[in-house]
Amino acid sequence: MHYPIPVSPEEIFALRSRPVDEEMIAVAIAGVVKLARSQGQSLDDLTAEVLEDDPMLDNVQRRWLSNLVEQAWQTLP
């Protein structure tokens, strides 16, 4: 991977200045999962946040992203 997995909210937000590609999105999701775990959140907590109504994503996109987050949660050590 060309991007290290972020370990803080600041590092996750810093990804916004980089070009968007599949690898960057995967790294961002991995960073969010690791950060949520380090803050004691459960998969259900994180999934609920992803599924919250947001003007940026529609329901289908939020469900798709929720599935990706769940896969990352189960895959990452």
Side-chain angles (χ1 to χ4, degrees), residues 9 12 18 20 22-23 26-27 29-33 38 43 45 54-55 58 64 71:
I12 292 170
R18 302 199 180 213
V20 176
E22 291 172 355
E23 183 178 343
V27 166
I29 291 170
V32 167
V33 166
S38 74
L43 175 57
D45 295 335
D54 184 298
D58 63 28
W64 178 79
Q71 289 175 22

Side-chain angles (χ1 to χ4, degrees), residues 47-69:
T47 301
E49 284 185 35
V50 171
L51 292 173
E52 284 181 9
D53 194 21
D54 184 298
M56 186 177 281
L57 302 175
D58 63 28
N59 284 336
V60 172
Q61 292 168 323
R62 283 194 301 274
R63 289 247 175 246
W64 178 79
L65 182 57
S66 172
N67 289 334
L68 288 178
V69 167

